[in-house]
Amino acid sequence: MLSAVKRSLATAIFCPSKHRVCSKHTLPALDYAYSALNPVISEEIMTLHHTKHHQTYVDNLNIAEEKLAKAIQDGDIATAISLEPAVKFNGGGHINHSVFWTNLSPQGGGIPKGDIKELIERDFSSFDKFKELMSTQSLGIQGSGWSWLGWNPRHGRLRLTTCPNQDPLSMQGLIPLLGIDMWEHAFYLQYKNVKANYVKAIWEVINWENVNQRLDDARMSS
């Protein structure tokens, strides 16, 4: 956990302003309308999820980083350490959602093509088996969290895993390729407590082109 403080400390060190981090985090724009993922994800959910929930993570991350920068500047290590949970939670929320929006597309769904298809078949036997495994792990999350397909740069393989709350996948040494948000705010207004229907439906809007591009980028950087 101390690594999160160290990364934020580096940001503060290289900022010319005395008490502020160099740049504000902002809410990323979507490449599609809030209604575009209907009927899989309703316009109401998309609007609230993006403009309220994600925006809150962005706002709180900016606040936490400003306080952290000031604490570092003042040599107040106790305060800096106490701010780490806020940086981790809100930073993770911002990172996770920024990946999630691009993983979705009104032209999504179907069977992936290209390298991601070949690696899924190599590492999980078949696309259907992979889909089953990721769906099962998604439904197995207790409370709030994320279901991920990640790239393991050390072993050069795909890996399925989950993260609690808003923990970023990087904490497990993995690069995110595809995420399913299993927080209730992502589905409850539409699917109520029937999470299985949400998980079944979301495959219809998965943007495999984006997942493939993320795989290419991950392999290039590792």
Side-chain angles (χ1 to χ4, degrees):
M1 289 180 64
L2 189 57
S3 59
V5 171
K6 289 180 178 178
R7 287 192 294 272
S8 295
L9 171 59
T11 303
I13 287 173
F14 290 104
C15 182
S17 174
K18 186 176 181 180
H19 298 310
R20 301 173 69 88
V21 292
C22 287
S23 61
K24 292 276 191 178
H25 301 283
T26 59
L27 184 70
L30 302 184
D31 291 333
Y32 42 84
Y34 290 125
S35 61
L37 301 181
N38 265 322
V40 174
I41 304 177
S42 71
E43 180 177 1
E44 180 182 21
I45 286 179
M46 286 298 301
T47 303
L48 291 172
H49 199 171
H50 185 248
T51 66
K52 300 299 182 182
H53 292 280
H54 191 173
Q55 183 67 65
T56 298
Y57 293 123
V58 171
D59 292 344
N60 288 337
L61 176 60
N62 285 326
I63 291 170
E65 285 193 336
E66 285 201 2
K67 291 180 178 179
L68 178 60
K70 185 178 187 304
I72 296 298
Q73 181 69 32
D74 294 344
D76 187 353
I77 302 303
T79 296
I81 292 173
S82 73
L83 288 165
E84 183 179 351
V87 173
K88 174 187 171 186
F89 180 75
N90 292 292
H94 181 34
I95 292 169
N96 295 338
H97 284 89
S98 296
V99 173
F100 183 59
W101 306 132
T102 65
N103 279 167
L104 306 176
S105 170
Q107 287 80 44
I111 298 174
K113 300 177 182 179
D115 289 349
I116 190 65
K117 178 178 183 291
E118 294 179 7
L119 290 181
I120 284 174
E121 292 174 347
R122 182 197 72 179
D123 294 342
F124 304 106
S125 299
S126 69
F127 175 69
D128 287 341
K129 184 61 176 178
F130 155 75
K131 189 174 173 181
E132 176 190 343
L133 290 171
M134 189 164 184
S135 297
T136 298
Q137 80 167 13
S138 301
L139 295 173
I141 294 173
Q142 296 182 341
S144 300
W146 288 78
S147 177
W148 288 104
L149 171 67
W151 174 252
N152 186 324
R154 182 175 180 181
H155 299 293
R157 301 187 70 85
L158 300 175
R159 182 182 166 191
L160 286 171
T161 190
T162 61
C163 294
N165 301 312
Q166 292 294 354
D167 288 5
L169 189 59
S170 59
M171 294 182 66
Q172 298 186 29
L174 304 175
I175 300 172
L177 304 179
L178 170 63
I180 299 178
D181 188 349
M182 294 306 297
W183 281 64
E184 283 193 345
H185 62 238
F187 62 85
Y188 195 83
L189 289 176
Q190 184 173 355
Y191 293 94
K192 303 301 185 278
N193 65 327
V194 189
K195 293 192 292 184
N197 288 347
Y198 163 68
V199 172
K200 180 180 179 180
I202 203 168
W203 293 103
E204 299 175 18
V205 291
I206 295 300
N207 184 354
W208 288 112
E209 288 186 9
N210 177 261
V211 179
N212 227 336
Q213 184 60 58
R214 288 185 177 279
L215 172 63
D216 289 345
D217 293 343
R219 295 168 85 181
M220 286 288 291
S221 65
S222 60

